[in-house]
Amino acid sequence: MCGIFGVLSTRAAASAPGDDLFQILDRLVEETQPASLSLVLEKDTGAEEVFRRLDEAQEAASRWMGRGAFLDLLFVPGRAARLEAAAARALQWARGLEDLCERGWTARQSHREIINRLIVGGKDIAWRIQKDILENISSVRALVEGDDRLALTRAFELNLLLGSLDRLEVRGRDSAGVALFVRFASAAALDAFLDGVSGGSVWRREVEARRDLRFGHRAVIRPGAFPSALLLAFKVASEVGKMGDNAAYLRKEIAGDPLLQALLREPGVELQCLGHTRWASNGIISVSNCHPVESAILEGGQGVHYSEGRLVAVLNGDIDNYRELVERYVRTCDAEIDPSITTDAKIIPLVVSHHLSRVGDLEEAFRLACAEFQGSMAIGLMAADRPGELLFAQKGSGQGLFFGLGHESIAVASEMYGIVEVASRYIKAEGERSESGEIFRVRAEEGQVRLEVLGAGGFQPVATSRIQTAEITTRDIDRGEYPHFFLKEISGSVESVRNTLRGKFELPEMGGVRFLLGQDVLPVELIAGLREGRVRQISLVGQGTAAVAAQGVAHLLQT
């Protein structure tokens, strides 16, 4: 297993959200105070009204997860404090509802379930504001020096990528990498940048010194087929380590790279990133085998100019016919791959590049390449000459691919927990729909970001019927201070049981226990049937831990 992450945002100028979060949250809290909540829940549509208001509050909080909101919090006095106060109010409201449940405020189980949903929603709102938004301010700041607005805006998406890679490490952590295309308006503009540091050509010498066709850590490639761009890589590989180490290392290296820091501050350039965290299945654990990989091939030990930095790819799963494709597209052409690169992912940009040279259309070249790849896989691809575009494919059922539909961004990850920081609505790829799988295109435009799927008539919008809503947030998948998730789950088991049983029983002063299941769980007719002996058999059904609980209940009923 491995983890893929990519994100594209609209090219429109970043705009800050309004004050609707504060207004919606105020109304939600007022309408769910004990006196008014009981009246609301007695209505036929009461639960729907409350949940609609909760959804509005969660949606309003999500709109603060964007570049414009980030800049607003950084540079507008009082905004961060006001947002912090909103988080505190949401948390206080959720804890008040918890107390209400603990005191047995209602005997109806359906009402307790409604309140529990409000409690979870309130905590999710507070978490999103405090953790996903406010705490990320310092994480973004740590990636750049000073208060340059342009650099901070670009670092915002870098931070999203690194944060999601950290979460995706549960799919593998032996290596991780980030590839960045930095595109200038023209080759002349890039040359002016390279030669413009006090007339000393400092950056040109830096780029030349870091040219690395193995595409290792801190590699810099000027694509031969698109000389107005630079392609940079930051990578780490280690068989031994703990979760969080790789992302922390990449953050430090990005923050400490003078060339990238200068590029982040450069007006008129565009950044595009693709990231990956790996659990090696083909090829040893090494920086050379770390994804993303690019399209350079060698002839006579020297790089083929047009192939360098043309395409960048990441892979989850395995390309089973990798060796056959190497023979067909590399060795029979009297070319070779750098011998230190043994991952099967390397064949992806090479096959796509072959078809691209033949058909002249990137999307068609990607389709033809994916049709040749055998196995179960998820693939991501970006090209030097395609700013604001990412291509993805899923084939077979062994790998996941999720597209998070944010307000100004689309995030793509191999697991849902890679996208929930950006978006709660998502579309899941279904690579088993056909033998050739599914191919998607993500395109950033001036006012929006489009997600399209390849069909019989070319790329078309994905059907809205495929949009789903995530049932988890980053709060559910946060590892906290624990070194791994297993220890967190063990340590949090008491709190989990407490939340599950909240409001469902009480301990009278006389001793014993009284369960508050309510007539909506145990109707009067059923209780009468049990007392009169008309109900003679109870079947308990469960799977996994629920099966253990069912056995326990069966034992209690028999004794």
Side-chain angles (χ1 to χ4, degrees), residues 265-541:
R265 288 169 168 76
E266 185 68 15
V269 304
E270 183 172 333
L271 262 70
Q272 185 173 326
C273 312
L274 196 58
H276 189 269
T277 179
R278 182 173 183 245
W279 182 15
S281 56
N282 274 302
I284 63 169
I285 298 168
S286 67
V287 171
S288 295
N289 281 335
C290 179
H291 307 193
V293 295
E294 58 86 47
S295 53
I297 56 173
L298 309 178
E299 289 182 358
Q302 301 297 314
V304 177
H305 184 61
Y306 75 88
S307 71
E308 297 177 19
R310 189 183 193 187
L311 300 169
V312 173
V314 291
L315 167 69
N316 285 1
D318 298 304
I319 297 178
D320 297 337
N321 57 336
Y322 163 69
R323 296 187 184 281
E324 174 193 331
L325 294 172
V326 169
E327 288 292 334
R328 185 187 310 166
Y329 291 111
V330 180
R331 290 180 182 148
T332 58
C333 301
D334 294 326
E336 59 184 327
I337 298 171
D338 187 288
S340 69
I341 302 173
T342 55
T343 171
D344 55 342
K346 177 67 177 181
I347 199 63
I348 297 171
L350 302 188
V351 177
V352 176
S353 184
H354 168 85
H355 288 303
L356 179 58
S357 298
R358 187 171 58 86
V359 301
D361 180 85
L362 179 63
E363 287 83 358
E364 177 63 8
F366 188 57
R367 185 193 69 80
L368 291 169
C370 290
E372 291 191 73
F373 300 147
Q374 296 176 6
S376 177
M377 67 202 71
I379 296 171
L381 184 101
M382 62 179 181
D385 62 346
R386 289 297 186 95
E389 182 175 320
L390 294 171
L391 292 173
F392 292 91
Q394 187 198 10
K395 198 170 182 179
S397 59
Q399 303 296 325
L401 201 57
F402 296 82
F403 299 85
L405 310 177
H407 295 286
E408 61 178 37
S409 305
I410 290 180
V412 189
S414 45
E415 291 288 351
M416 188 188 298
Y417 41 78
I419 64 170
V420 290
E421 183 179 18
V422 177
S424 59
R425 297 185 313 134
Y426 70 93
I427 288 170
K428 182 182 184 298
E430 299 174 4
E432 66 278 13
R433 277 194 170 199
S434 69
E435 204 173 305
S436 57
E438 281 198 309
I439 293 177
F440 296 85
R441 179 171 66 186
V442 183
R443 288 196 298 173
E445 298 176 350
E446 189 62 32
Q448 62 182 324
V449 188
R450 292 182 182 275
L451 173 64
E452 300 166 310
V453 62
L454 183 62
F459 281 95
Q460 53 201 8
V462 183
T464 56
S465 60
R466 292 181 64 176
I467 298 176
Q468 302 179 61
T469 300
E471 296 182 358
I472 62 170
T473 68
T474 57
R475 184 167 73 92
D476 300 299
I477 54 179
D478 180 62
R479 197 174 68 250
E481 299 300 318
Y482 296 101
H484 46 75
F485 283 100
F486 187 53
L487 183 58
K488 179 201 171 186
E489 291 299 312
I490 293 172
S491 303
S493 57
V494 173
E495 182 66 19
S496 178
V497 171
R498 181 183 292 117
N499 291 341
T500 302
L501 296 178
R502 183 191 298 121
K504 296 177 181 175
F505 72 97
E506 62 181 19
L507 300 174
E509 293 182 3
M510 302 294 293
V513 60
R514 177 169 173 262
F515 288 95
L516 308 172
L517 297 180
Q519 292 188 27
D520 47 341
V521 176
L522 286 176
V524 173
E525 296 81 2
L526 178 59
I527 294 174
L530 288 166
R531 285 174 175 165
E532 296 167 7
R534 288 184 284 109
V535 177
R536 303 181 60 84
Q537 182 173 339
I538 298 173
S539 298
L540 296 146
V541 180

Side-chain angles (χ1 to χ4, degrees), residues 121-325:
K123 289 184 175 181
D124 284 343
I125 290 170
W127 178 275
R128 173 163 282 278
I129 294 172
Q130 292 171 335
K131 300 291 185 178
D132 294 344
I133 299 169
L134 294 174
E135 284 193 12
N136 260 327
I137 292 175
S138 59
S139 298
V140 177
R141 276 193 173 279
L143 290 173
V144 295
E145 297 177 359
D147 286 334
D148 186 278
R149 292 176 70 98
L150 193 55
L152 287 165
T153 303
R154 290 164 175 164
F156 176 80
E157 288 195 3
L158 268 176
N159 181 66
L160 285 180
L161 187 148
L162 292 165
S164 291
L165 283 186
D166 208 2
R167 295 186 187 97
L168 288 167
E169 275 197 329
V170 293
R171 289 187 60 93
R173 60 131 321 272
D174 59 48
S175 57
V178 176
L180 303 91
F181 274 123
V182 183
R183 300 184 181 91
F184 284 71
S186 65
L190 174 52
D191 284 325
F193 169 80
L194 295 176
D195 294 328
V197 183
S198 303
S201 300
V202 172
W203 298 136
R204 186 175 295 279
R205 293 198 300 273
E206 176 90 358
V207 168
E208 291 170 354
R210 289 166 59 173
R211 178 175 175 265
D212 177 8
L213 298 187
R214 295 170 300 175
F215 204 45
H217 178 51
R218 299 184 83 245
V220 180
I221 296 174
R222 188 171 185 179
F226 194 73
S228 59
L230 292 177
L231 174 60
L232 291 80
F234 295 89
K235 297 183 175 183
V236 58
S238 176
E239 291 189 46
V240 180
K242 62 180 185 292
M243 294 179 71
D245 283 353
N246 288 346
Y249 176 81
L250 293 175
R251 285 180 180 276
K252 183 171 74 72
E253 291 297 295
I254 286 170
D257 182 13
L259 174 60
L260 179 58
Q261 292 297 313
L263 290 167
L264 292 175
R265 288 169 168 76
E266 185 68 15
V269 304
E270 183 172 333
L271 262 70
Q272 185 173 326
C273 312
L274 196 58
H276 189 269
T277 179
R278 182 173 183 245
W279 182 15
S281 56
N282 274 302
I284 63 169
I285 298 168
S286 67
V287 171
S288 295
N289 281 335
C290 179
H291 307 193
V293 295
E294 58 86 47
S295 53
I297 56 173
L298 309 178
E299 289 182 358
Q302 301 297 314
V304 177
H305 184 61
Y306 75 88
S307 71
E308 297 177 19
R310 189 183 193 187
L311 300 169
V312 173
V314 291
L315 167 69
N316 285 1
D318 298 304
I319 297 178
D320 297 337
N321 57 336
Y322 163 69
R323 296 187 184 281
E324 174 193 331
L325 294 172

